[in-house]
Amino acid sequence: MNRDALARLAVRTGMDRYLLLGRGESEAGGANRPSLLAALFEAVAGAVYLAEGLPATRRWLLHLFSEELDGPERVSLKSAKSRLQEWSQRVHRQKPRYELLETSGPPHEQRFRVAVLLNGQRLAAGTGSSRQRAEEHAAGQAIERVHRRTAVDVEPV
């Protein structure tokens, strides 16, 4: 699942108002952190499943996600890495490969630069505060480039 999409759903449904944080986390802006909001949404979905069962949970989730998927700015619930991998396996029958290009900055503020490669060719590069975020950024850049070239094979970002 796409962390940012789940975080938006947590805010849109008002779940964020019930997020209880310690003083330090609250002062650090934790209530706006996408990872916490996404985890909150997942926890509530799990609680609905345990209390109401799969059919009710499925109906609730489909209702919530239909607004995300049918809106004017269609949002994918899959990460850019997942979408790029699905496309590359469908079209090229292989997975993209990620290569760490550079790590910079002090240990507490490191920045990572990663390239995504397919068939030995560099599709794009991305940066982030973690290797995973840099890979996600690189995959998003690759999807945009491929989408501009093909205009049909890749789900829009």
Side-chain angles (χ1 to χ4, degrees):
M1 278 280 145
N2 182 319
R3 179 194 69 187
D4 294 330
L6 294 179
R8 280 191 303 276
L9 284 170
V11 171
R12 194 180 80 219
T13 58
M15 290 178 194
D16 59 321
R17 292 183 302 225
Y18 301 99
L19 186 59
L20 297 176
L21 301 172
R23 188 176 61 184
E25 185 66 29
S26 183
E27 289 173 0
N32 297 317
R33 190 170 295 143
S35 59
L36 284 179
L37 293 168
L40 169 65
F41 185 87
E42 289 174 341
V44 170
V48 171
Y49 170 73
L50 291 174
E52 301 295 327
L54 183 59
T57 305
R58 179 174 286 179
R59 283 190 303 275
W60 176 66
L61 290 173
L62 286 173
H63 171 73
L64 289 178
F65 287 129
S66 70
E67 293 178 30
E68 284 283 310
L69 296 173
D70 296 336
E73 293 182 25
R74 189 171 180 264
V75 174
S76 176
L77 299 176
K78 294 180 183 173
S79 70
K81 283 180 69 173
S82 295
R83 290 181 288 146
L84 181 63
Q85 181 171 324
E86 289 173 0
W87 171 82
S88 68
Q89 287 181 314
R90 184 176 70 244
V91 174
H92 296 281
R93 306 257 188 262
Q94 63 179 293
K95 291 194 257 184
R97 187 171 60 82
Y98 295 88
E99 181 179 291
L100 180 63
L101 300 175
E102 178 183 16
T103 304
S104 62
H108 64 283
E109 284 184 14
Q110 282 193 319
R111 299 291 299 165
F112 296 84
R113 188 162 179 263
V114 172
V116 59
L117 305 132
L118 185 63
N119 291 328
Q121 291 186 309
R122 181 192 244 180
L123 295 179
T127 58
S129 58
S130 70
R131 186 170 179 160
Q132 182 179 0
R133 287 185 178 152
E135 289 176 357
E136 182 69 20
H137 183 237
Q141 296 296 313
I143 288 171
E144 287 182 24
R145 284 187 179 158
V146 170
H147 186 64
R148 281 194 304 264
R149 275 190 256 153
T150 62
V152 293
D153 285 340
V154 180
E155 180 180 330
V157 174

